[in-house]
Amino acid sequence: MKRITIIYIAILSLLVISCKENAASKINDANLETAKERDAINNLGFAIIEFDNTEYDFGTINEDDIIDGAFKITNAGKVDLIILSAKASCGCTVPEWPKEAIKPGESAELKFSFNSRGKPGVQNKSITLKTNTEKITEVIRIKGTVTPKNK
């Protein structure tokens, strides 16, 4: 019984001694400032992406033609708009998006190239953007008709 009492007293003493340090003294001031800046930006909301058009109609073209086009992107939000990636639904469409942040109120272009080789008929391709908007995913479309070449 004396042994158990001594063990309990020893454990209790260790707990009291180990808890002397104030938790506030462990906070890194640099991390606290970084967190405050991040929270201030988050309170502004998400970036808001606006397009001049969400659909590009290239009309009727001949097979083997290459169409180059662009979508105008405007940041209507209060924080920088960042496009993380742009992926086309098909290898025949190659998007080129702005890699740098688009400041609030500013615009940029998302360019694309569509190669109609081997694509006769009605075409409806999409480009999916991954962004820092509230929706995260934005989709724009390219459509038209490709006249088959004579064989």
Side-chain angles (χ1 to χ4, degrees):
M1 189 70 158
K2 273 187 171 182
R3 280 180 148 176
I4 294 175
T5 306
I6 292 173
I7 292 173
Y8 282 134
I9 291 173
I11 291 172
L12 188 59
S13 299
L14 283 173
L15 288 175
V16 170
I17 292 171
S18 66
C19 294
K20 276 188 171 181
E21 205 171 332
N22 184 355
S25 67
K26 295 181 180 181
I27 295 174
N28 182 337
D29 290 336
N31 291 343
L32 186 60
E33 286 303 314
T34 302
K36 285 180 183 178
E37 290 172 13
R38 182 200 61 226
D39 290 345
I41 290 171
N42 287 343
N43 287 336
L44 294 175
F46 293 95
I48 299 171
I49 191 169
E50 291 181 350
F51 298 96
D52 60 343
N53 290 306
T54 56
E55 190 172 273
Y56 184 96
D57 188 344
F58 59 79
T60 302
I61 61 171
N62 295 318
E63 188 174 356
D64 289 341
D65 286 352
I66 296 176
I67 299 297
D68 294 319
F71 291 93
K72 182 179 176 186
I73 299 170
T74 302
N75 181 0
K78 295 181 181 177
V79 297
D80 288 356
L81 170 63
I82 300 169
I83 300 173
L84 303 169
S85 68
K87 294 190 179 179
S89 59
C90 173
C92 59
T93 305
V94 179
E96 184 182 320
W97 68 95
K99 307 296 190 282
E100 62 282 340
I102 302 169
K103 301 286 182 197
E106 292 185 3
S107 298
E109 281 192 338
L110 181 142
K111 298 176 183 177
F112 68 88
S113 180
F114 169 71
N115 187 342
S116 65
R117 179 175 294 209
K119 299 287 182 191
V122 175
Q123 300 297 312
N124 189 0
K125 308 299 179 189
S126 64
I127 299 174
T128 303
L129 306 175
K130 296 288 184 182
T131 66
N132 65 330
T133 61
E134 188 170 13
K135 282 177 46 179
I136 299 172
T137 302
E138 305 286 339
V139 179
I140 51 180
R141 300 199 175 281
I142 302 162
K143 69 177 190 172
T145 304
V146 177
T147 304
K149 64 182 174 184
N150 295 329
K151 294 190 179 193

